[in-house]
Amino acid sequence: MNVAAPPARDAYASFRIPAFRAFIASLLAMTLALQIQGVVVAWQVYALTRDPLSLGLVGLAEALPFLAAALPAGQWADRHDRRAIATGSIAVLVVCAVVLLLLTATGALTPQAGGTAPRTLVWLVYAVLGVSGVARAVLQPARQALAAELVPVSLYTNAVTWRSTTWQGGSV
């Protein structure tokens, strides 16, 4: 009895689509940037306050708005242009990063004589992180659905595998 071997699958099939390659490159770059920013902001807030609670609030300041906006953001991504939503969300994330950069570059977050930064300015960092959390919540469903629009249905499993692997790799 002759049994035919299953057809070979191309693990890189999705990468033959230029738009998907650009999507994966941008996903990796953005994931790396957000991870780096998260570490730097947490380190900076702790260095400014020397308070473990302030360090914990860094994560909470972004997580609570993210969780609060997640469901409405998913519905919004289903009903509107996903590219416009993703582009707008990324623009908001860039503005948040620039505000954090300006706070640092202008010396506004420099510790005072007592060794800590003014509390009002640390709360400004938390506010920027809150806006960033909402932008990430809006970006997430739009970006995930956008990947499905870039490849044919036959390559969807391959594309999801690469998207997930890229995000995990960038996060690590």
Side-chain angles (χ1 to χ4, degrees):
M1 174 176 358
N2 255 344
V3 178
R9 299 201 180 204
D10 183 4
Y12 302 99
S14 295
F15 283 102
R16 300 199 196 310
I17 301 169
F20 185 77
R21 284 195 308 265
F23 174 81
I24 287 296
S26 69
L27 175 64
L28 179 62
M30 197 169 85
T31 302
L32 287 170
L34 289 172
Q35 293 298 322
I36 291 167
Q37 178 181 306
V39 170
V40 168
V41 168
W43 175 74
Q44 185 177 28
V45 166
Y46 184 75
L48 292 170
T49 63
R50 302 285 187 220
D51 180 20
L53 179 61
S54 295
L55 177 60
L57 291 175
V58 168
L60 194 62
E62 195 166 24
L64 285 180
F66 181 91
L67 292 173
L71 288 176
Q75 183 180 24
W76 197 37
D78 286 342
R79 295 176 183 224
H80 296 87
D81 180 18
R82 293 175 182 121
R83 289 181 187 185
I85 292 171
T87 302
S89 298
I90 291 169
V92 170
L93 288 170
V94 168
V95 168
C96 288
V98 168
V99 168
L100 291 171
L101 174 66
L102 290 174
L103 285 172
T104 301
T106 60
L109 295 178
T110 303
Q112 294 177 335
T116 61
R119 289 282 180 193
T120 54
L121 292 177
V122 173
W123 284 102
L124 184 58
V125 171
Y126 296 144
V128 171
L129 291 175
V131 172
S132 178
V134 172
R136 288 176 75 175
V138 171
L139 173 64
Q140 190 69 15
R143 182 175 60 190
Q144 288 186 358
L146 190 58
E149 294 177 3
L150 297 175
V151 297
V153 174
S154 62
L155 295 179
Y156 185 68
T157 304
N158 182 265
V160 168
T161 301
W162 280 110
R163 186 187 72 215
S164 178
T165 301
T166 302
W167 184 85
Q168 291 291 336
S171 294
V172 170

